[in-house]
Amino acid sequence: CMAVWVLTLWNKRELIGDAVRSLWDQATRRRVVHVCEQDVGQYADQGYPPGVFYNAIVANIPPEDYIAWLSDDDVLLPDYVEALAGYLDEHPEANACYGQSERWALAEDGRTWKLGDLSGGPIYGIQGMPCCNIDGGQVMYRGQVLDRIDPPWHPVTMQACHVSDGLLLNKIAAVTPIYPVGQLVMRNRITWLSSHWRLVGDSPQFTH
């Protein structure tokens, strides 16, 4: 039975509960496999590049299954799986798709406020790449797409990890279009713990 695989690298224990609950609350009857790995082990002293975890897991995912990413500081809306997997079901010619996302700030004191929206319109491909335009969590794709890309699929250096999901999306877009589903599917949250963004007052600031 075809499955939807959702991968999460867990390094924020204060936030992981929100992410996991948003996956449990999916309005779907599909088989959803959630693989969650804690940021520990040989990379714990310097940070754990998401690519190390990602590459190890997807190497064993069947080509007919679907793959998505859920960061531990983000949350999915209840129709995330059905919107994206449903699009791939209904469009056998499409190998990858993405939904819209809202960007929210979450302060340590619990305050939240909306920062804006992430792209939900264009088809991304060789004429327009997705890196830094959409988040890796907005995208779902068929496992067979990775057969068309030379590994390592996800960059594994710490120097590239702040855009590693975008670089993976660029590799996907270079071999197959990424189509918009035209539906809001998730919230990307910038928090006091986010790996590459920090809240300075009420403004998110990028950090390496």
Side-chain angles (χ1 to χ4, degrees), residues 26-74:
Q26 289 300 294
T28 183
R29 296 185 179 182
R30 297 175 187 271
R31 180 175 171 231
V32 178
V33 180
H34 186 211
V35 183
C36 184
E37 180 168 319
Q38 191 172 9
D39 180 356
V40 296
Q42 62 178 317
Y43 294 94
D45 59 341
Q46 60 190 38
Y48 188 18
V52 175
F53 162 61
Y54 175 92
N55 293 334
I57 300 302
V58 300
N60 297 304
I61 291 178
E64 66 273 15
D65 287 359
Y66 300 161
I67 302 171
W69 179 267
L70 170 59
S71 293
D72 57 0
D73 45 8
D74 296 335

Side-chain angles (χ1 to χ4, degrees), residues 130-205:
C131 184
C132 299
N133 289 311
I134 55 176
D135 181 78
Q138 294 175 248
V139 181
M140 186 177 290
Y141 44 94
R142 303 181 194 276
Q144 64 192 26
V145 170
L146 300 180
D147 293 337
R148 302 165 61 182
I149 302 170
D150 292 332
W153 301 284
H154 211 295
V156 296
T157 64
M158 288 301 295
Q159 292 79 8
C161 69
H162 63 291
V163 290
S164 58
D165 60 340
L167 296 177
L168 170 64
L169 295 185
N170 279 359
K171 292 180 180 181
I172 293 172
V175 298
T176 189
I178 303 176
Y179 295 96
V181 304
Q183 183 174 335
L184 181 66
V185 297
M186 67 179 299
R187 293 193 176 99
N188 292 90
R189 301 193 302 178
I190 296 174
T191 79
W192 75 101
L193 293 170
S194 294
S195 300
H196 308 292
W197 292 92
R198 296 290 184 273
L199 288 172
V200 179
D202 287 349
S203 300
Q205 302 293 326

